[in-house]
Amino acid sequence: MERIKMTTPLVEMDGDEMTRIIWQSIKDKLITPFVELKTEYYDLGLKNRDKTDDSVTVDAANAIKKYGVGVKCATITPNAQRVEEYGLKKMWKSPNGTIRAILDGTVFRAPVTVRGIKPSVSTWEKPITIARHAYGDIYKNSEIKVSGGAKAEIVVTDSKGDEHRKLIHDFSGDGVVMGMHNTDESISSFARACFNFALSQKQDIWFSTKDTISKTYDHRFKDIFAEIFENEYKDAFEKAGIEYFYTLIDDAVARVIRSKGGFIWACKNYDGDVMSDMIATAFGSLAMMTSVLVSPDGKYEYEAAHGTVTRHYYRHLKGEPTSTNSVATIFAWSGALRKRAELDNLPKLLEFADRLEHATINTIESGIMTKDLLGLSSLANKKGVETMEFLDAVAARLAN
Ligand code: NAP
Ligand code: MG
């Protein structure tokens, strides 16, 4: 059989631990037998990040800027224990943080759904995608503990040196104060990434904040979204037959629970942090959550939402069997190949991406699954298999 050809290289970012093992096997068993894989390879494994003083991460991000599409394996974000374990020169920053900062992107997370695993919310028929703003608010705040008798104020010194003050609170007893910010530039990027993604998925997009209470801060988000939508996206949305819908965060929560799913929910940083865990858990398992970073100028980076599954890796090193779920990593590959196919107009590659996803889903729906899904699945004939047995079962379906 002739293998499918590619024209532009995919930016491939290898990673760590159990997901690094799965990464190689996905390529060997599921992709290279069918596709003449063309990638520009960057080894983001912790050893190589240390060896290159982390320049490999920056190079990979710049390659995504150049080519437009990347696929990334989960990577270790080092802490003190990892510095010792790997004898690192320093505690390198999170690769995802570095890549996100360079691409200025928004992260979209969506669950892979399969027959036999019902969401906890019985009305949900289709996946819900969370778009999380990844800059500012409480994640870049300044906080102070204050004592009774203290007066807290916001002071903003403008470029001319003039001070603008606003009272926060006169404290009669002890308490706490917090200051946070966001920028029009970052909010605008977030809005454009959301609208572009909605168009590419042909799905409605909802956005929610608490603008009735936060009449300046949250209201700024609402206004920027509305302005960008009116001026740049309204016509394209009409043509695509999709909608932009703004509502209060509490109203959004109620509507999400009553909905059938099948839309994108854009959230501010904190809301997105909390709601993406809620959505992942309600749909089943973190191991089934896909994740894609989209930049405002339309560059895409695909990955799994979970980490390197360290506990399973240590078992693997001891020669013990593992049952690590590879679905989110397979979908990172299929998502990246599909996007490459769309951009380069390669119908055969597009069809392969669909086939790979169907083979994966059909394997689980036929009752073959990793052990994390066993307790969730209602199938009568379900069988828990090891990491490689699952990949082999998908490969067998693909070959048919
Ligand atoms: P994790 O790797 O997501 O694993 C946490 C636990 O969730 C696992 O021990 C396992 O539970 C379950 N799990 C996650 N993915 C699974 C899968 N594919 N199949 C089966 N079970 C799965 O998170 P972590 O242990 O907190 O972090 C490990 C390393 O990953 C850290 O070094 C962290 O820095 C890194 N990390 C990277 C990324 C990324 O690159 N995007 C994201 C998060 C974390 P059981 O052990 O109970 O089976
Ligand atoms: Mg979180």
Side-chain angles (χ1 to χ4, degrees), residues 123-369:
T123 51
W124 290 352
E125 290 167 8
K126 289 180 188 160
I128 295 168
T129 301
I130 293 276
R132 175 182 170 189
H133 187 206
Y135 177 82
D137 299 354
I138 64 163
Y139 300 86
K140 261 193 184 292
N141 68 0
S142 297
E143 309 181 317
I144 310 178
K145 247 173 127 170
V146 299
S147 314
K151 174 182 173 180
E153 290 175 292
I154 299 186
V155 183
V156 175
T157 313
D158 68 24
S159 56
K160 293 187 201 107
D162 293 335
E163 283 189 356
H164 306 264
R165 286 171 182 268
K166 215 164 178 180
L167 176 72
I168 296 173
H169 193 61
D170 271 318
F171 285 87
S172 52
D174 297 353
V176 282
V177 175
M178 176 169 80
M180 61 183 199
H181 79 284
N182 224 299
T183 66
D184 284 7
E185 191 186 1
S186 176
I187 301 166
S188 303
S189 292
F190 175 45
R192 289 196 178 92
C194 287
F195 294 137
N196 286 337
F197 194 70
L199 283 170
S200 82
Q201 299 297 107
K202 301 211 172 32
Q203 284 188 331
D204 290 349
I205 183 150
W206 301 10
F207 181 45
S208 55
T209 74
K210 194 68 182 176
D211 68 289
T212 46
I213 298 297
S214 173
K215 290 185 164 57
T216 303
Y217 196 104
D218 277 20
H219 213 283
R220 190 80 197 121
F221 281 77
K222 181 184 176 181
D223 285 348
I224 288 176
F225 265 69
E227 206 178 292
I228 291 178
F229 180 72
E230 281 299 318
N231 295 336
E232 301 172 28
Y233 291 93
K234 205 174 175 201
D235 294 344
F237 268 54
E238 253 166 42
K239 257 191 216 134
I242 57 172
E243 263 183 22
Y244 167 55
F245 169 66
Y246 176 86
T247 189
L248 281 173
I249 178 81
D250 33 0
D251 179 51
V253 168
R255 285 171 186 262
V256 164
I257 298 297
R258 284 198 308 263
S259 78
K260 291 187 172 167
F263 56 90
I264 302 157
W265 182 12
C267 292
K268 286 179 64 200
N269 211 345
Y270 173 81
D271 300 340
D273 185 354
V274 178
M275 293 307 163
S276 66
D277 280 1
M278 191 269 284
I279 296 283
T281 311
F283 270 104
S285 159
L286 188 62
M288 302 285 276
M289 268 317 252
T290 65
S291 183
V292 55
L293 176 75
V294 184
S295 76
D297 56 345
K299 314 291 184 207
Y300 293 77
E301 185 223 18
Y302 292 82
E303 62 169 339
H306 60 78
T308 59
V309 212
T310 310
R311 293 209 320 183
H312 296 206
Y313 181 60
Y314 289 154
R315 257 182 260 149
H316 168 82
L317 287 182
K318 280 194 270 176
E320 294 171 16
T322 58
S323 184
T324 313
N325 189 330
S326 48
V327 170
T329 308
I330 296 173
F331 273 66
W333 275 99
S334 59
L337 291 172
R338 178 182 295 111
K339 183 54 73 181
R340 201 61 276 164
E342 283 170 12
L343 294 174
D344 297 345
N345 192 20
L346 302 169
K348 282 193 181 144
L349 189 63
L350 194 84
E351 189 207 19
F352 173 75
D354 290 344
R355 274 212 299 140
L356 176 55
E357 291 182 358
H358 289 148
T360 306
I361 289 172
N362 290 343
T363 300
I364 299 173
E365 293 185 343
S366 78
I368 299 170
M369 60 194 78

Side-chain angles (χ1 to χ4, degrees), residues 60-106:
N62 285 325
I64 300 173
K65 274 191 145 170
K66 177 176 167 192
Y67 294 114
V69 187
V71 59
K72 180 180 168 291
C73 178
T75 47
I76 293 169
T77 297
N79 53 17
Q81 182 259 320
R82 297 294 198 168
V83 172
E84 195 168 313
E85 181 183 353
Y86 282 79
L88 300 179
K89 293 182 210 160
K90 64 185 254 198
M91 203 186 292
W92 304 108
K93 282 196 235 159
S94 149
N96 287 34
T98 302
I99 295 168
R100 209 177 295 156
I102 292 172
L103 293 180
D104 183 22
T106 298

